[in-house]
């Protein structure tokens, strides 16, 4: 009878260890699935932001197109600079004027 009891006490820690390993495996699988969902969400957000950046780039190019700039200049009464309207500053003179 004591041999059977000795085997019982050996089996209890082994069963506890097997249960702990099983629970750890289930927990790791849940974490893996959670990370996969998070990764998928982040990829979707990145794709949305890349799409928006592409759209904004097209819009910027459209607004900076020579035809568009000419149309806006005419709308606001702007034209080529006349004689005496352009002043060129020497960078050294501009730095000296800023720090008297």
């Amino acid at each position: 009878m004591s041999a059977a009891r000795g085997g019982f006490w050996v089996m209890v820690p082994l069963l506890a260890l097997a249960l702990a390993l099983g629970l750890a495996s289930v927990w790791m699988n849940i974490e893996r699935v959670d990370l996969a969902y998070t990764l998928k969400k982040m990829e979707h957000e990145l794709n949305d932001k890349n799409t928006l950046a592409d759209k904004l780039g097209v819009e910027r190019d459209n607004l900076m197109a020579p035809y568009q700039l000419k149309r806006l200049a005419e709308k606001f009464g702007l034209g080529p600079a006349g004689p005496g309207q352009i002043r060129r500053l020497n960078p050294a003179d501009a730095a000296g004027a800023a720090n008297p």
Side-chain angles (χ1 to χ4, degrees):
M1 190 85 167
S2 69
R5 246 179 211 219
F8 173 76
W9 291 113
V10 170
M11 292 295 290
V12 170
L14 291 177
L15 288 174
L17 180 63
L19 179 63
L21 289 175
L23 290 174
S25 175
V26 169
W27 178 74
M28 289 175 61
N29 192 33
I30 290 170
E31 287 296 317
R32 182 186 59 83
V33 170
D34 188 42
L35 284 174
Y37 282 129
T38 303
L39 179 62
K40 191 71 166 173
K41 179 182 172 188
M42 291 173 77
E43 286 176 345
H44 183 67
E45 290 174 2
L46 179 63
N47 287 337
D48 288 346
K49 289 180 181 184
N50 284 338
T51 301
L52 179 61
D54 291 342
K55 288 179 182 178
L56 290 174
V58 169
E59 182 68 19
R60 181 198 60 226
D61 293 343
N62 182 39
L63 292 173
M64 296 297 292
Y67 171 78
Q68 184 75 0
L69 292 175
K70 182 178 178 183
R71 189 180 66 77
L72 288 173
E74 290 172 356
K75 177 180 175 182
F76 292 110
L78 300 174
Q85 288 183 321
I86 297 177
R87 294 185 185 181
R88 299 193 189 276
L89 298 177
N90 185 351
D93 293 342
N99 298 323

Coordinates of all heavy atoms in Angstrom, one line a residue:
M1 N 0.8 -1.2 0.0 CA 0.0 0.0 0.0 C 0.8 1.3 0.0 O 0.5 2.2 -0.6 CB -0.9 0.0 1.2 CG -1.9 1.0 1.2 SD -3.3 0.4 0.3 CE -4.5 1.5 0.8
S2 N 2.0 1.2 0.6 CA 2.9 2.4 0.7 C 3.5 2.7 -0.7 O 3.7 3.9 -1.0 CB 3.9 2.3 1.8 OG 4.9 1.3 1.4
A3 N 3.7 1.7 -1.5 CA 4.2 1.9 -2.8 C 3.2 2.6 -3.7 O 3.6 3.5 -4.5 CB 4.6 0.6 -3.5
A4 N 2.0 2.3 -3.5 CA 0.9 2.9 -4.3 C 0.8 4.4 -3.8 O 0.5 5.3 -4.6 CB -0.4 2.2 -4.1
R5 N 0.9 4.6 -2.5 CA 0.8 6.0 -2.0 C 2.0 6.8 -2.5 O 1.9 8.0 -2.8 CB 0.9 5.9 -0.5 CG -0.4 6.4 0.1 CD -0.4 6.3 1.5 NE -1.7 6.1 1.9 CZ -2.3 6.6 2.9 NH1 -1.7 7.4 3.7 NH2 -3.6 6.4 3.1
G6 N 3.2 6.2 -2.6 CA 4.3 6.9 -3.1 C 4.2 7.3 -4.6 O 4.5 8.4 -5.0
G7 N 3.6 6.5 -5.3 CA 3.3 6.8 -6.8 C 2.2 7.9 -6.9 O 2.3 8.7 -7.8
F8 N 1.3 7.9 -6.0 CA 0.3 9.0 -6.0 C 0.9 10.4 -5.8 O 0.6 11.3 -6.4 CB -0.8 8.7 -4.9 CG -1.8 9.8 -4.7 CD1 -2.8 10.0 -5.6 CD2 -1.7 10.7 -3.7 CE1 -3.7 11.0 -5.5 CE2 -2.6 11.7 -3.5 CZ -3.6 11.8 -4.4
W9 N 1.8 10.4 -4.8 CA 2.5 11.7 -4.5 C 3.4 12.1 -5.6 O 3.7 13.3 -5.8 CB 3.2 11.7 -3.2 CG 2.2 11.6 -2.1 CD1 2.0 10.5 -1.2 CD2 1.2 12.6 -1.7 NE1 1.0 10.8 -0.3 CE2 0.5 12.1 -0.6 CE3 0.9 13.8 -2.2 CZ2 -0.5 12.7 0.0 CZ3 -0.1 14.5 -1.5 CH2 -0.8 14.0 -0.5
V10 N 3.9 11.2 -6.4 CA 4.7 11.6 -7.6 C 3.8 12.1 -8.7 O 4.1 13.0 -9.4 CB 5.5 10.4 -8.1 CG1 6.2 10.7 -9.4 CG2 6.5 10.0 -7.0
M11 N 2.6 11.5 -8.8 CA 1.7 11.9 -9.9 C 1.1 13.3 -9.7 O 0.8 14.0 -10.6 CB 0.6 10.8 -10.0 CG 1.0 9.5 -10.6 SD 1.7 9.6 -12.2 CE 0.2 9.9 -13.1
V12 N 0.8 13.6 -8.4 CA 0.2 14.9 -8.1 C 1.0 16.1 -8.7 O 0.4 17.0 -9.4 CB -0.1 15.1 -6.6 CG1 -0.5 16.5 -6.3 CG2 -1.1 14.1 -6.2
P13 N 2.3 16.2 -8.4 CA 3.0 17.3 -9.0 C 3.1 17.3 -10.5 O 3.1 18.3 -11.2 CB 4.4 17.2 -8.4 CG 4.3 16.3 -7.2 CD 3.1 15.5 -7.5
L14 N 3.2 16.1 -11.1 CA 3.2 15.9 -12.5 C 1.9 16.4 -13.2 O 1.9 17.1 -14.2 CB 3.6 14.5 -12.9 CG 5.0 14.0 -12.6 CD1 5.1 12.5 -13.0 CD2 6.0 14.9 -13.3
L15 N 0.8 16.1 -12.5 CA -0.5 16.5 -13.0 C -0.6 18.0 -12.9 O -1.1 18.7 -13.8 CB -1.6 15.8 -12.3 CG -1.8 14.3 -12.7 CD1 -2.9 13.7 -11.8 CD2 -2.2 14.2 -14.1
A16 N -0.1 18.6 -11.8 CA -0.2 20.0 -11.6 C 0.7 20.7 -12.6 O 0.3 21.7 -13.2 CB 0.3 20.4 -10.2
L17 N 1.8 20.1 -12.9 CA 2.7 20.7 -13.9 C 2.1 20.6 -15.3 O 2.1 21.6 -16.1 CB 4.1 20.0 -13.9 CG 5.1 20.5 -15.0 CD1 5.5 21.9 -14.7 CD2 6.3 19.5 -15.0
A18 N 1.4 19.5 -15.6 CA 0.8 19.4 -16.9 C -0.4 20.4 -17.1 O -0.6 21.0 -18.1 CB 0.2 18.0 -17.1
L19 N -1.1 20.6 -16.0 CA -2.2 21.6 -16.0 C -1.6 23.0 -16.2 O -2.2 23.8 -17.0 CB -3.0 21.5 -14.7 CG -4.1 22.5 -14.5 CD1 -5.2 22.2 -15.6 CD2 -4.7 22.4 -13.1
A20 N -0.6 23.3 -15.5 CA 0.1 24.6 -15.6 C 0.6 24.8 -17.0 O 0.4 25.9 -17.6 CB 1.2 24.8 -14.6
L21 N 1.2 23.8 -17.6 CA 1.7 24.0 -19.0 C 0.5 24.1 -20.0 O 0.6 24.9 -20.9 CB 2.5 22.8 -19.4 CG 3.9 22.7 -18.7 CD1 4.6 21.4 -19.0 CD2 4.8 23.9 -19.1
G22 N -0.6 23.4 -19.7 CA -1.7 23.5 -20.6 C -2.3 24.9 -20.5 O -2.7 25.5 -21.6
L23 N -2.5 25.4 -19.3 CA -3.0 26.8 -19.2 C -2.1 27.8 -19.8 O -2.5 28.8 -20.4 CB -3.2 27.1 -17.7 CG -4.4 26.4 -17.0 CD1 -4.4 26.6 -15.5 CD2 -5.7 26.7 -17.7
A24 N -0.8 27.7 -19.6 CA 0.2 28.6 -20.3 C 0.1 28.5 -21.8 O 0.1 29.6 -22.4 CB 1.6 28.2 -19.8
S25 N -0.1 27.3 -22.3 CA -0.3 27.2 -23.8 C -1.5 27.9 -24.3 O -1.5 28.6 -25.3 CB -0.3 25.7 -24.2 OG -0.6 25.6 -25.5
V26 N -2.6 27.8 -23.5 CA -3.9 28.4 -23.9 C -3.7 29.9 -23.8 O -4.1 30.7 -24.7 CB -5.0 27.9 -23.0 CG1 -6.3 28.8 -23.2 CG2 -5.4 26.5 -23.3
W27 N -3.1 30.4 -22.7 CA -2.9 31.9 -22.6 C -2.0 32.4 -23.7 O -2.3 33.5 -24.2 CB -2.2 32.1 -21.2 CG -1.9 33.6 -21.0 CD1 -2.8 34.5 -20.7 CD2 -0.7 34.2 -21.0 NE1 -2.2 35.7 -20.5 CE2 -0.8 35.6 -20.8 CE3 0.6 33.7 -21.3 CZ2 0.2 36.4 -20.8 CZ3 1.7 34.6 -21.3 CH2 1.5 36.0 -21.0
M28 N -0.9 31.7 -24.1 CA -0.1 32.2 -25.1 C -0.8 32.2 -26.5 O -0.6 33.1 -27.3 CB 1.2 31.3 -25.2 CG 2.1 31.5 -24.1 SD 3.5 30.4 -24.1 CE 4.3 30.8 -25.6
N29 N -1.7 31.3 -26.7 CA -2.5 31.3 -27.9 C -3.4 32.5 -28.0 O -3.6 33.1 -29.0 CB -3.3 30.0 -28.1 CG -3.8 29.8 -29.5 OD1 -3.3 30.2 -30.4 ND2 -5.0 29.2 -29.5
I30 N -4.1 32.8 -26.8 CA -4.9 34.0 -26.8 C -4.2 35.2 -27.0 O -4.6 36.1 -27.8 CB -5.7 34.0 -25.4 CG1 -6.7 32.9 -25.3 CG2 -6.3 35.3 -25.2 CD1 -7.2 32.7 -23.9
E31 N -3.0 35.3 -26.4 CA -2.1 36.5 -26.7 C -1.7 36.6 -28.1 O -1.7 37.7 -28.7 CB -0.9 36.5 -25.8 CG -1.2 36.7 -24.3 CD -1.7 38.1 -24.1 OE1 -1.2 39.1 -24.6 OE2 -2.7 38.3 -23.3
R32 N -1.4 35.5 -28.8 CA -1.0 35.5 -30.2 C -2.2 36.0 -31.0 O -2.0 36.8 -31.9 CB -0.6 34.1 -30.6 CG -0.1 34.0 -32.0 CD 0.1 32.6 -32.5 NE -1.0 31.7 -32.3 CZ -2.0 31.6 -33.3 NH1 -1.9 32.3 -34.4 NH2 -3.0 30.8 -33.1
V33 N -3.4 35.6 -30.8 CA -4.5 36.0 -31.5 C -4.8 37.5 -31.3 O -5.1 38.2 -32.3 CB -5.8 35.2 -31.2 CG1 -7.0 35.7 -31.8 CG2 -5.6 33.7 -31.6
D34 N -4.6 37.9 -30.1 CA -4.8 39.4 -29.8 C -3.8 40.2 -30.5 O -4.1 41.3 -31.1 CB -4.7 39.6 -28.3 CG -5.1 41.0 -27.9 OD1 -6.1 41.5 -28.4 OD2 -4.4 41.5 -27.0
L35 N -2.5 39.8 -30.5 CA -1.5 40.5 -31.3 C -1.8 40.5 -32.8 O -1.5 41.5 -33.5 CB -0.1 39.9 -31.0 CG 0.5 40.2 -29.6 CD1 1.7 39.4 -29.4 CD2 0.7 41.7 -29.5
A36 N -2.3 39.4 -33.3 CA -2.7 39.3 -34.7 C -3.7 40.4 -35.1 O -3.7 41.0 -36.1 CB -3.1 37.9 -35.1
Y37 N -4.8 40.5 -34.2 CA -5.8 41.5 -34.4 C -5.3 42.9 -34.4 O -5.6 43.7 -35.2 CB -6.9 41.3 -33.4 CG -7.9 40.2 -33.7 CD1 -8.2 39.2 -32.8 CD2 -8.5 40.0 -35.0 CE1 -9.1 38.2 -33.1 CE2 -9.3 39.0 -35.3 CZ -9.6 38.1 -34.3 OH -10.5 37.0 -34.6
T38 N -4.4 43.1 -33.4 CA -3.8 44.4 -33.3 C -2.9 44.8 -34.5 O -3.0 45.9 -35.0 CB -2.9 44.5 -32.0 OG1 -3.7 44.2 -30.9 CG2 -2.3 45.9 -31.8
L39 N -2.2 43.8 -35.0 CA -1.3 44.0 -36.1 C -2.2 44.3 -37.4 O -1.9 45.2 -38.1 CB -0.5 42.8 -36.4 CG 0.4 42.9 -37.6 CD1 1.4 44.0 -37.5 CD2 1.2 41.5 -37.8
K40 N -3.3 43.6 -37.5 CA -4.2 43.8 -38.6 C -4.8 45.2 -38.6 O -4.9 45.9 -39.6 CB -5.3 42.8 -38.6 CG -6.1 42.7 -39.8 CD -5.3 42.2 -41.0 CE -6.3 41.8 -42.1 NZ -5.5 41.4 -43.3
K41 N -5.2 45.7 -37.4 CA -5.7 47.0 -37.2 C -4.7 48.1 -37.6 O -5.0 49.1 -38.2 CB -6.2 47.2 -35.8 CG -6.8 48.5 -35.5 CD -7.2 48.6 -34.0 CE -7.6 50.1 -33.6 NZ -7.8 50.2 -32.2
M42 N -3.4 47.9 -37.1 CA -2.4 48.8 -37.4 C -2.1 48.9 -38.9 O -1.8 49.9 -39.4 CB -1.1 48.5 -36.6 CG -1.3 48.7 -35.1 SD 0.1 48.1 -34.1 CE 1.2 49.4 -34.4
E43 N -2.1 47.7 -39.6 CA -1.9 47.7 -41.0 C -3.0 48.5 -41.7 O -2.7 49.2 -42.7 CB -1.8 46.3 -41.5 CG -0.5 45.5 -41.1 CD -0.5 44.1 -41.6 OE1 -1.6 43.5 -41.9 OE2 0.5 43.5 -41.6
H44 N -4.2 48.3 -41.3 CA -5.3 49.0 -41.9 C -5.1 50.5 -41.7 O -5.4 51.3 -42.6 CB -6.6 48.5 -41.3 CG -7.8 49.1 -41.9 ND1 -8.2 48.9 -43.2 CD2 -8.8 50.0 -41.4 CE1 -9.3 49.6 -43.5 NE2 -9.7 50.3 -42.4
E45 N -4.8 51.0 -40.5 CA -4.5 52.4 -40.2 C -3.4 52.9 -41.1 O -3.5 54.0 -41.6 CB -4.2 52.6 -38.8 CG -5.4 52.4 -37.8 CD -5.0 52.5 -36.4 OE1 -3.8 52.8 -36.1 OE2 -5.9 52.3 -35.5
L46 N -2.3 52.1 -41.2 CA -1.2 52.6 -42.1 C -1.6 52.7 -43.5 O -1.3 53.7 -44.2 CB -0.1 51.6 -42.0 CG 1.2 51.9 -42.8 CD1 1.8 53.2 -42.4 CD2 2.2 50.7 -42.7
N47 N -2.4 51.8 -44.0 CA -2.9 51.9 -45.4 C -3.8 53.1 -45.6 O -3.7 53.8 -46.6 CB -3.7 50.6 -45.8 CG -2.8 49.4 -46.0 OD1 -1.6 49.6 -46.3 ND2 -3.3 48.2 -45.9
D48 N -4.6 53.4 -44.6 CA -5.5 54.6 -44.7 C -4.6 55.9 -44.7 O -4.9 56.8 -45.5 CB -6.5 54.6 -43.5 CG -7.6 53.6 -43.5 OD1 -7.7 53.0 -44.6 OD2 -8.2 53.4 -42.5
K49 N -3.6 55.9 -43.9 CA -2.8 57.1 -43.8 C -2.0 57.2 -45.1 O -1.8 58.4 -45.6 CB -1.9 57.1 -42.6 CG -2.6 57.3 -41.3 CD -1.8 57.3 -40.1 CE -2.7 57.5 -38.9 NZ -1.9 57.5 -37.6
N50 N -1.5 56.1 -45.7 CA -0.8 56.2 -46.9 C -1.7 56.7 -48.0 O -1.3 57.5 -48.9 CB -0.2 54.9 -47.3 CG 1.1 54.6 -46.5 OD1 1.7 55.5 -46.0 ND2 1.4 53.3 -46.3
T51 N -2.9 56.2 -48.0 CA -3.9 56.7 -49.1 C -4.2 58.2 -48.9 O -4.2 58.9 -49.9 CB -5.2 55.9 -48.9 OG1 -4.9 54.5 -49.1 CG2 -6.2 56.3 -49.9
L52 N -4.3 58.6 -47.7 CA -4.5 60.0 -47.5 C -3.3 60.9 -47.9 O -3.5 61.9 -48.5 CB -4.8 60.3 -46.0 CG -5.1 61.7 -45.6 CD1 -6.3 62.3 -46.3 CD2 -5.3 61.9 -44.1
A53 N -2.1 60.4 -47.6 CA -0.9 61.1 -48.0 C -0.8 61.2 -49.5 O -0.5 62.2 -50.1 CB 0.3 60.4 -47.5
D54 N -1.2 60.1 -50.2 CA -1.2 60.1 -51.7 C -2.2 61.1 -52.2 O -1.9 61.9 -53.1 CB -1.5 58.7 -52.2 CG -0.4 57.7 -52.0 OD1 0.7 58.2 -51.7 OD2 -0.7 56.5 -52.1
K55 N -3.4 61.2 -51.6 CA -4.5 62.1 -52.1 C -4.0 63.5 -51.8 O -4.2 64.4 -52.6 CB -5.8 61.8 -51.3 CG -6.5 60.6 -51.8 CD -7.8 60.4 -51.0 CE -8.5 59.1 -51.4 NZ -9.7 58.9 -50.6
L56 N -3.4 63.8 -50.7 CA -2.9 65.1 -50.4 C -1.8 65.5 -51.3 O -1.7 66.7 -51.7 CB -2.4 65.2 -48.9 CG -3.6 65.2 -47.9 CD1 -3.0 65.1 -46.5 CD2 -4.5 66.3 -48.0
G57 N -0.9 64.6 -51.7 CA 0.1 64.9 -52.7 C -0.5 65.3 -54.0 O 0.0 66.3 -54.6
V58 N -1.5 64.6 -54.4 CA -2.1 64.9 -55.7 C -2.8 66.3 -55.6 O -2.7 67.1 -56.5 CB -3.2 63.9 -56.1 CG1 -4.0 64.3 -57.2 CG2 -2.5 62.5 -56.4
E59 N -3.4 66.6 -54.5 CA -4.1 67.9 -54.3 C -3.0 69.0 -54.3 O -3.2 70.1 -54.9 CB -4.9 67.9 -53.0 CG -5.6 69.2 -52.7 CD -6.8 69.4 -53.6 OE1 -7.2 68.5 -54.3 OE2 -7.2 70.6 -53.7
R60 N -1.9 68.8 -53.6 CA -0.8 69.8 -53.6 C -0.3 70.0 -55.0 O -0.1 71.2 -55.4 CB 0.3 69.3 -52.7 CG 1.5 70.3 -52.6 CD 2.8 69.7 -52.1 NE 3.2 68.7 -53.1 CZ 3.6 67.5 -52.7 NH1 3.7 67.2 -51.4 NH2 4.0 66.6 -53.6
D61 N -0.1 69.0 -55.8 CA 0.4 69.1 -57.1 C -0.6 69.9 -58.0 O -0.2 70.7 -58.8 CB 0.7 67.8 -57.7 CG 1.9 67.1 -57.1 OD1 2.7 67.8 -56.4 OD2 2.0 65.8 -57.2
N62 N -1.9 69.6 -57.8 CA -2.9 70.3 -58.5 C -2.9 71.8 -58.2 O -3.1 72.7 -59.0 CB -4.3 69.7 -58.2 CG -5.4 70.4 -59.0 OD1 -5.3 70.7 -60.1 ND2 -6.6 70.6 -58.3
L63 N -2.8 72.1 -56.9 CA -2.8 73.5 -56.5 C -1.6 74.3 -56.9 O -1.6 75.5 -57.1 CB -3.0 73.6 -54.9 CG -4.3 73.2 -54.4 CD1 -4.3 73.2 -52.9 CD2 -5.5 74.1 -54.9
M64 N -0.5 73.6 -57.0 CA 0.8 74.2 -57.4 C 1.0 74.2 -59.0 O 2.1 74.6 -59.4 CB 2.0 73.5 -56.7 CG 1.9 73.7 -55.2 SD 2.1 75.4 -54.7 CE 3.7 75.8 -55.2
A65 N 0.1 73.7 -59.7 CA 0.2 73.6 -61.2 C 0.3 75.0 -61.7 O -0.4 75.9 -61.2 CB -1.0 72.8 -61.8
P66 N 1.1 75.3 -62.7 CA 1.2 76.6 -63.3 C -0.2 77.2 -63.8 O -0.4 78.4 -63.5 CB 2.1 76.4 -64.5 CG 2.9 75.2 -64.1 CD 2.0 74.3 -63.4
Y67 N -1.0 76.4 -64.4 CA -2.3 76.8 -64.8 C -3.1 77.4 -63.6 O -3.7 78.4 -63.6 CB -3.1 75.7 -65.5 CG -4.5 76.1 -65.8 CD1 -4.9 76.9 -66.8 CD2 -5.6 75.6 -65.0 CE1 -6.2 77.3 -67.1 CE2 -6.9 75.9 -65.2 CZ -7.2 76.8 -66.3 OH -8.5 77.1 -66.5
Q68 N -3.1 76.6 -62.5 CA -3.9 77.0 -61.3 C -3.3 78.3 -60.7 O -4.0 79.2 -60.3 CB -3.8 75.8 -60.3 CG -4.6 76.1 -59.0 CD -6.1 75.9 -59.3 OE1 -6.6 75.7 -60.4 NE2 -6.9 76.2 -58.2
L69 N -2.0 78.4 -60.6 CA -1.3 79.6 -60.1 C -1.6 80.8 -60.9 O -1.9 81.9 -60.4 CB 0.2 79.4 -59.9 CG 0.6 78.3 -58.9 CD1 2.1 78.1 -58.9 CD2 0.2 78.7 -57.5
K70 N -1.6 80.6 -62.2 CA -1.9 81.7 -63.1 C -3.4 82.2 -62.9 O -3.7 83.4 -62.9 CB -1.7 81.3 -64.6 CG -1.9 82.5 -65.6 CD -1.7 82.0 -67.0 CE -2.0 83.2 -67.9 NZ -1.8 82.8 -69.3
R71 N -4.3 81.2 -62.8 CA -5.7 81.6 -62.6 C -5.9 82.3 -61.3 O -6.6 83.3 -61.2 CB -6.5 80.3 -62.6 CG -8.0 80.5 -62.6 CD -8.8 79.2 -62.6 NE -8.7 78.5 -61.4 CZ -9.3 78.7 -60.3 NH1 -10.1 79.8 -60.2 NH2 -9.1 78.0 -59.2
L72 N -5.2 81.9 -60.2 CA -5.4 82.6 -58.9 C -4.7 83.9 -59.0 O -5.2 84.9 -58.4 CB -4.7 81.7 -57.8 CG -5.5 80.5 -57.4 CD1 -4.7 79.6 -56.4 CD2 -6.8 80.8 -56.8
A73 N -3.6 84.1 -59.7 CA -3.0 85.4 -59.8 C -3.9 86.4 -60.5 O -4.0 87.5 -60.1 CB -1.6 85.3 -60.5
E74 N -4.5 85.9 -61.6 CA -5.5 86.8 -62.3 C -6.7 87.2 -61.4 O -7.1 88.3 -61.4 CB -5.9 86.1 -63.5 CG -4.9 86.0 -64.6 CD -5.3 85.2 -65.8 OE1 -6.4 84.6 -65.8 OE2 -4.5 85.1 -66.7
K75 N -7.1 86.2 -60.6 CA -8.3 86.5 -59.7 C -7.9 87.5 -58.7 O -8.8 88.4 -58.3 CB -8.6 85.1 -59.0 CG -9.7 85.3 -58.0 CD -10.0 83.9 -57.3 CE -11.1 84.1 -56.3 NZ -11.3 82.8 -55.6
F76 N -6.7 87.5 -58.2 CA -6.3 88.5 -57.1 C -5.6 89.7 -57.7 O -5.1 90.5 -56.9 CB -5.4 87.8 -56.1 CG -6.2 86.8 -55.3 CD1 -6.0 85.5 -55.4 CD2 -7.2 87.2 -54.4 CE1 -6.7 84.5 -54.6 CE2 -7.9 86.3 -53.6 CZ -7.6 85.0 -53.7
G77 N -5.6 89.8 -59.0 CA -5.0 91.0 -59.6 C -3.5 91.1 -59.6 O -2.9 92.1 -59.6
L78 N -2.8 89.9 -59.6 CA -1.4 89.9 -59.5 C -0.9 89.6 -60.9 O -1.5 89.0 -61.8 CB -0.9 88.7 -58.6 CG -1.4 88.8 -57.2 CD1 -1.0 87.6 -56.4 CD2 -0.8 90.1 -56.5
G79 N 0.4 90.1 -61.2 CA 1.0 89.9 -62.5 C 2.5 89.9 -62.3 O 3.0 90.0 -61.2
P80 N 3.2 90.0 -63.4 CA 4.6 90.0 -63.4 C 5.1 91.3 -62.7 O 4.4 92.4 -62.8 CB 5.1 90.0 -64.8 CG 3.9 89.5 -65.6 CD 2.7 89.8 -64.8
A81 N 6.2 91.3 -62.0 CA 6.7 92.4 -61.3 C 7.3 93.4 -62.3 O 7.9 93.1 -63.3 CB 7.9 92.0 -60.3
G82 N 7.0 94.7 -62.0 CA 7.5 95.8 -62.9 C 8.8 96.2 -62.5 O 9.4 95.8 -61.5
P83 N 9.4 97.2 -63.3 CA 10.7 97.7 -62.9 C 10.7 98.4 -61.6 O 9.8 99.1 -61.2 CB 11.0 98.7 -64.0 CG 10.1 98.4 -65.1 CD 8.9 97.7 -64.5
G84 N 11.7 98.1 -60.7 CA 11.8 98.7 -59.4 C 10.9 98.0 -58.3 O 11.0 98.5 -57.2
Q85 N 10.2 97.0 -58.7 CA 9.4 96.3 -57.7 C 10.1 95.2 -57.0 O 9.7 94.7 -55.9 CB 8.1 95.8 -58.3 CG 7.1 96.8 -58.7 CD 5.8 96.2 -59.2 OE1 5.9 95.2 -59.9 NE2 4.7 96.8 -58.8
I86 N 11.2 94.8 -57.5 CA 12.0 93.7 -56.9 C 13.2 94.2 -56.3 O 14.0 95.0 -56.9 CB 12.4 92.6 -58.0 CG1 11.1 92.0 -58.6 CG2 13.3 91.6 -57.4 CD1 11.4 91.0 -59.7
R87 N 13.4 93.9 -55.0 CA 14.6 94.3 -54.3 C 15.4 93.0 -53.9 O 14.8 92.1 -53.4 CB 14.3 95.0 -53.0 CG 13.6 96.3 -53.3 CD 13.4 97.1 -52.0 NE 12.7 98.3 -52.3 CZ 12.3 99.2 -51.4 NH1 12.7 98.9 -50.1 NH2 11.7 100.2 -51.7
R88 N 16.6 93.0 -54.2 CA 17.5 91.9 -53.9 C 18.3 92.3 -52.7 O 19.0 93.3 -52.6 CB 18.4 91.5 -55.0 CG 17.6 91.1 -56.2 CD 18.5 90.4 -57.3 NE 17.8 90.2 -58.5 CZ 17.0 89.1 -58.8 NH1 16.8 88.2 -57.8 NH2 16.4 89.0 -59.9
L89 N 18.3 91.4 -51.6 CA 19.1 91.7 -50.4 C 20.3 90.8 -50.4 O 20.2 89.6 -50.7 CB 18.2 91.4 -49.2 CG 17.0 92.3 -49.0 CD1 16.2 91.9 -47.8 CD2 17.3 93.8 -48.9
N90 N 21.4 91.3 -50.0 CA 22.6 90.6 -49.8 C 22.4 89.9 -48.4 O 22.1 90.5 -47.4 CB 23.8 91.5 -49.8 CG 25.1 90.7 -49.7 OD1 25.1 89.5 -49.4 ND2 26.2 91.4 -49.8
P91 N 22.6 88.5 -48.4 CA 22.4 87.8 -47.1 C 23.2 88.4 -45.9 O 22.8 88.5 -44.8 CB 22.8 86.4 -47.4 CG 22.7 86.3 -48.9 CD 23.0 87.6 -49.4
A92 N 24.5 88.9 -46.2 CA 25.3 89.5 -45.2 C 24.6 90.8 -44.7 O 24.6 91.1 -43.5 CB 26.7 89.8 -45.7
D93 N 24.1 91.6 -45.6 CA 23.4 92.9 -45.2 C 22.2 92.6 -44.4 O 21.9 93.3 -43.4 CB 23.1 93.7 -46.4 CG 24.3 94.2 -47.2 OD1 25.4 94.2 -46.6 OD2 24.1 94.6 -48.4
A94 N 21.4 91.5 -44.8 CA 20.2 91.2 -44.0 C 20.5 90.7 -42.6 O 19.8 91.0 -41.7 CB 19.4 90.1 -44.8
A95 N 21.6 90.0 -42.5 CA 22.0 89.5 -41.1 C 22.5 90.6 -40.3 O 22.2 90.7 -39.1 CB 23.1 88.4 -41.3
G96 N 23.2 91.6 -40.9 CA 23.7 92.7 -40.1 C 22.5 93.6 -39.7 O 22.6 94.2 -38.6
A97 N 21.5 93.8 -40.5 CA 20.4 94.6 -40.2 C 19.5 94.0 -39.1 O 18.9 94.6 -38.3 CB 19.5 94.9 -41.4
A98 N 19.6 92.6 -39.0 CA 18.8 92.0 -38.0 C 19.4 92.0 -36.7 O 18.7 92.0 -35.6 CB 18.6 90.5 -38.4
N99 N 20.8 92.2 -36.6 CA 21.5 92.2 -35.3 C 22.3 93.6 -35.3 O 23.5 93.6 -35.5 CB 22.5 91.1 -35.2 CG 21.8 89.7 -35.2 OD1 20.7 89.6 -34.6 ND2 22.4 88.7 -35.8
P100 N 21.6 94.7 -34.9 CA 22.3 96.0 -34.9 C 23.3 96.1 -33.8 O 23.3 95.6 -32.8 CB 21.2 97.0 -34.8 CG 20.0 96.3 -34.4 CD 20.2 94.8 -34.6

